[in-house]
């Protein structure tokens, strides 16, 4: 039983690392119901089997601890709080509060690189030839967006163009949050029960072996 449990636990870890994934979701009052996340490697938009809607942002106070920000999120039902030490579990996923974002945070960017146009989430990377192009920063006061490729950086306002790593890049349009929002980490935990069950069987097998030896 111990060996079987260990095998099941190892298989669960392998499945979690191979098929489990995580990514960030930005929610603001104007994003409405969101059913996607930006993958951890920033390359893909991944569909979620549920929707997330930001109802409000509050501050929770606990005796002996500093106040902490919390997001009240609904998934088609009653609103539930999500804060750093209180993840929300839903449909085989764990939702963790990462941070708040202020009004003026960029949500979507429409850029042109050469003759091609791309509609990207903020910090979503796109690969052009051998270069990784990604937005990395923003200035709320000037609404400038920072772009990086091959260790080169440029800052652009809407309508501006520049040369970056041998590419011509233009910021055609951008959508900014008009109200504060939150960033949530959504992780796939479908295989976590396999891991715990496997190692639970392993511990049970060890306990039975030790009990048998003790009776002798």
């Amino acid at each position: 039983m111990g060996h079987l449990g260990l095998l099941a636990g190892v298989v669960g870890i392998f499945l979690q690392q191979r098929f489990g994934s995580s990514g960030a979701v930005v929610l603001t009052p104007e994003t409405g119901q969101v059913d996607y996340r930006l993958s951890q490697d920033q390359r893909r938009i991944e569909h979620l089997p549920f929707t997330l809607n930001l109802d409000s942002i509050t501050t929770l106070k606990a005796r002996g601890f500093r106040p902490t920000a919390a997001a009240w999120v609904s998934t088609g039902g009653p609103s539930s709080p999500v804060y750093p030490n209180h993840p929300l579990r839903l449909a085989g996923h764990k939702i963790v509060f990462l941070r708040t974002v202020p009004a003026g945070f960029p949500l979507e960017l429409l850029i042109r690189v050469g003759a091609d146009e791309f509609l990207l989430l903020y910090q979503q990377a796109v690969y052009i030839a051998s270069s990784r192009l990604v937005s990395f920063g923003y200035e709320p006061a000037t609404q400038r967006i920072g772009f990086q490729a091959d260790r080169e950086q440029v800052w652009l306002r809407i309508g501006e163009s520049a040369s970056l790593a041998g590419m011509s890049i233009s910021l055609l349009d951008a959508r900014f949050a008009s109200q504060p929002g939150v960033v949530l980490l959504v992780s796939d935990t479908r295989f976590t029960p396999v891991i715990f069950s496997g190692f639970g069987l392993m511990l049970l097998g060890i306990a039975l072996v030790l009990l048998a030896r003790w009776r002798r």
Side-chain angles (χ1 to χ4, degrees), residues 104 138-145 155-158 171 174 176-177:
Y138 71 100
E139 295 178 348
T142 60
Q143 291 194 335
R144 293 201 309 167
I145 304 294
W155 288 82
L156 299 175
R157 294 185 181 90
I158 296 175
L171 178 59
F176 298 89

Side-chain angles (χ1 to χ4, degrees), residues 148-211:
Q148 178 174 319
D150 297 343
R151 299 185 180 181
E152 295 183 23
Q153 297 179 352
V154 295
W155 288 82
L156 299 175
R157 294 185 181 90
I158 296 175
E160 292 184 335
S161 303
S163 178
L164 177 63
M167 301 178 291
S168 174
I169 176 174
S170 304
L171 178 59
L172 303 179
D173 200 0
R175 186 163 70 97
F176 298 89
S178 62
Q179 301 178 59
V182 297
V183 181
L184 305 177
L185 178 67
V186 181
S187 302
D188 191 334
T189 59
R190 289 175 297 170
F191 302 106
T192 301
V194 178
I195 298 173
F196 282 106
S197 298
F199 285 111
L201 286 174
M202 182 189 70
L203 294 176
L204 178 60
I206 293 173
L208 291 175
V209 170
L210 293 177
L211 180 61

